[in-house]
Amino acid sequence: MNLPYLLPPLVAAAIGAALLFVTSLKRTRGAAYRTFALLLFCTILWALLIFAMRSSPDVERALWWERWL
């Protein structure tokens, strides 16, 4: 297992989740907050898909995750 290769997508997902949590605590929910929350959600999803692709046991499974990206 190559930790420096697997760790950056998990860090990006964790930071995105923390920002999404902080954004959801804000009481005023204008269009800008919803747009930013959607951007954060897509960033978290992208990071998790990258992690799944990088941690795949074989090339066929990595290609499957790449297609989802």
Side-chain angles (χ1 to χ4, degrees), residues 35-55:
T35 304
F36 186 59
L38 181 63
L39 174 72
L40 289 173
F41 177 75
C42 291
T43 303
I44 294 167
L45 182 64
W46 171 81
L48 292 176
L49 288 172
I50 290 290
F51 174 76
M53 182 188 69
R54 289 182 177 189
S55 64

Side-chain angles (χ1 to χ4, degrees), residues 1-7:
M1 185 188 284
N2 191 357
L3 193 60
Y5 184 66
L6 292 176
L7 195 59

Side-chain angles (χ1 to χ4, degrees), residues 18-67:
L19 287 173
L20 186 61
F21 177 73
V22 169
T23 302
S24 67
L25 292 178
K26 191 73 175 169
R27 291 199 175 166
T28 58
R29 299 191 181 205
Y33 286 104
R34 286 191 299 267
T35 304
F36 186 59
L38 181 63
L39 174 72
L40 289 173
F41 177 75
C42 291
T43 303
I44 294 167
L45 182 64
W46 171 81
L48 292 176
L49 288 172
I50 290 290
F51 174 76
M53 182 188 69
R54 289 182 177 189
S55 64
S56 296
D58 55 6
V59 175
E60 288 82 20
R61 182 65 53 102
L63 182 61
W64 189 81
W65 285 112
E66 176 68 26
R67 287 182 180 154

